[in-house]
């Protein structure tokens, strides 16, 4: 990305954070839909990639159905952004009224046991809102990691934004994140990780909707090394102002096998839980990048 484009990107995000939260909520929601529909009609790289990914999730979908899903997917993606720009001003009561999570007892009981909990989520609906539900509705702080964005000022905006929501944010790169996460878990803390796309190119190969993909090994390795509970979480919008979610049963550490074999088995279990939620609500999966190994261009990397 050129320096000019980086500055423009940062300026646009800054405008979003400063302006969108000042708009009346119906106006912001309508603006999000218009932006989504315009992007969808232009058929840019992100929209085409989203449709290609959805074709794997819904293999029997007609071209017309895929177009419907991708349009709904772009609207869901822009809803994520419009909500996220406004989240710092939401009260704990607003969050409790907006988020409904099934089987949250897995999380609360795991934290009460004092061994630490790892929540692993795919890019479904609004994972930032789910994080605010944890910090404001449950009153539980947590630690997460963030991808290094360019320009650096944009990354700093994201870190400041998430820290304002009660999250401790570590950079994905640099090598120290894993050790810090492990320490938080050994102290009985909570770690939340978006885990359906590997950014390291050294993740675990899994079978995902019938084909090979890579997902990060971190959640499984943290659970093995610290004894923390590993819980998959899926989210979705229900057609109203409410976002719903489900905490899935714990992914147990296998009793036998090498560390690599255990990590592979546990990561596959996460992928299976993610696939269940994505198949039920494909329009809320915001995967606008290449994911499956067959789609990756080794010369250009996962964002090609």
């Amino acid at each position: 990305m050129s320096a000019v484009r980086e500055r423009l990107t940062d300026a646009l995000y800054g405008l979003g954070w400063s302006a969108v939260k000042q708009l009346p909520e119906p106006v912001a929601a309508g603006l999000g839909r218009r932006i989504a529909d315009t992007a969808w009609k232009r058929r840019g790289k992100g929209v085409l990639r989203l449709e290609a990914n959805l074709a794997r999730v819904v293999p029997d979908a007609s071209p017309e159905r895929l177009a419907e899903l991708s349009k709904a997917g772009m609207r869901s993606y822009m809803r994520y952004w419009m909500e996220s720009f406004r989240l710092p001003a939401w009260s704990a009561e607003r969050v409790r009224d907006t988020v409904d999570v099934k089987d949250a007892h897995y999380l609360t009981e795991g934290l009460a046991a004092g061994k630490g909990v790892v929540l692993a989520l795919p890019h479904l609906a609004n994972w930032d809102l789910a994080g605010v539900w944890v910090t404001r509705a449950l009153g539980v702080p947590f630690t997460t990691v963030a991808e290094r964005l360019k320009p650096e000022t944009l990354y700093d905006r994201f870190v400041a934004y998430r820290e304002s929501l009660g999250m401790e944010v570590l950079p994905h790169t640099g090598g120290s994140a894993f050790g810090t996460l492990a320490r938080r878990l050994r102290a009985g803390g909570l770690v939340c990780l978006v885990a359906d796309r590997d950014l390291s190119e050294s993740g675990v190969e899994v079978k995902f909707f019938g084909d090979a993909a890579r997902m990060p090994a971190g959640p499984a390795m943290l659970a093995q090394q610290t004894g923390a509970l590993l819980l998959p979480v899926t989210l979705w919008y229900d057609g109203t102002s409410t976002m719903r979610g489900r905490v899935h049963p714990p992914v147990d550490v296998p009793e036998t096998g090498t560390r690599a074999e255990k990590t592979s088995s546990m990561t596959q279990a996460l992928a299976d839980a993610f696939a269940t939620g994505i198949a039920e609500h494909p329009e809320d999966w915001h995967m606008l990048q290449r994911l499956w190994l067959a789609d990756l261009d080794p010369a250009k990397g996962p964002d090609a």
Side-chain angles (χ1 to χ4, degrees):
M1 185 184 291
S2 69
V4 172
R5 186 177 176 187
E6 286 180 0
R7 289 196 296 271
L8 177 60
T9 300
D10 182 47
L12 289 173
Y13 277 107
L15 179 63
W17 264 296
S18 62
V20 171
K21 63 184 178 183
Q22 304 296 333
L23 296 174
E25 193 156 324
V27 175
L31 175 63
R33 287 192 295 271
R34 288 194 295 275
I35 293 172
D37 290 350
T38 299
W40 179 79
K41 289 177 183 177
R42 289 179 177 174
R43 310 290 292 165
K45 183 172 66 173
V47 173
L48 294 176
R49 174 46 46 195
L50 176 62
E51 252 178 47
N53 290 339
L54 289 171
R56 291 181 178 273
V57 174
V58 191
D60 58 347
S62 65
E64 294 77 16
R65 175 57 178 156
L66 282 177
E68 291 174 358
L69 282 174
S70 66
K71 183 175 184 179
M74 292 304 296
R75 287 190 169 192
S76 176
Y77 185 47
M78 286 310 304
R79 175 174 171 176
Y80 161 81
W81 281 111
M82 291 296 152
E83 286 179 343
S84 295
F85 286 142
R86 302 166 67 87
L87 273 181
W90 284 23
S91 66
E93 292 75 18
R94 171 69 187 276
V95 174
R96 282 194 292 266
D97 290 343
T98 303
V99 181
D100 178 32
V101 179
K102 298 179 180 178
D103 296 326
H105 66 91
Y106 288 121
L107 169 59
T108 55
E109 291 170 1
L111 291 172
K115 291 186 176 181
V117 175
V118 179
L119 294 181
L121 307 86
H123 287 81
L124 273 170
N126 192 335
W127 48 97
D128 282 334
L129 177 54
V132 175
W133 176 79
V134 170
T135 60
R136 294 188 180 170
L138 297 185
V140 178
F142 67 86
T143 305
T144 187
V145 297
E147 179 183 359
R148 280 281 187 188
L149 301 172
K150 292 184 178 180
E152 190 73 16
T153 50
L154 179 58
Y155 171 77
D156 291 341
R157 285 186 191 275
F158 271 97
V159 171
Y161 155 69
R162 290 190 167 120
E163 288 179 343
S164 76
L165 301 176
M167 311 175 192
E168 179 188 21
V169 183
L170 308 175
H172 182 268
T173 56
S176 63
F178 188 91
T180 302
L181 294 173
R183 287 193 294 273
R184 300 292 182 268
L185 292 168
R186 291 191 179 103
L190 175 63
V191 166
C192 298
L193 300 171
V194 180
D196 57 343
R197 180 170 175 255
D198 178 52
L199 298 175
S200 67
E201 299 184 19
S202 60
V204 177
E205 186 171 319
V206 296
K207 188 69 73 174
F208 196 54
F209 289 101
D211 209 345
R214 271 196 304 265
M215 293 188 181
M221 292 177 64
L222 284 166
Q224 288 180 68
Q225 292 194 22
T226 68
L229 198 65
L230 177 56
L231 299 174
V233 177
T234 52
L235 308 167
W236 67 94
Y237 293 125
D238 70 352
T240 71
S241 61
T242 299
M243 184 182 76
R244 303 193 183 276
R246 178 189 174 198
V247 181
H248 295 252
V251 174
D252 295 326
V253 178
E255 295 182 359
T256 61
T258 66
R259 177 177 295 182
E261 289 169 343
K262 291 177 180 179
T263 300
S264 177
S265 175
M266 295 171 73
T267 306
Q268 183 63 61
L270 286 179
D272 292 342
F274 294 166
T276 298
I278 293 167
E280 291 174 351
H281 305 280
E283 69 280 2
D284 289 325
W285 190 38
H286 307 153
M287 187 55 66
L288 279 69
Q289 298 84 20
R290 297 176 188 269
L291 179 70
W292 281 272
L293 300 187
D295 296 333
L296 297 178
D297 183 345
K300 295 181 180 179
D303 292 320

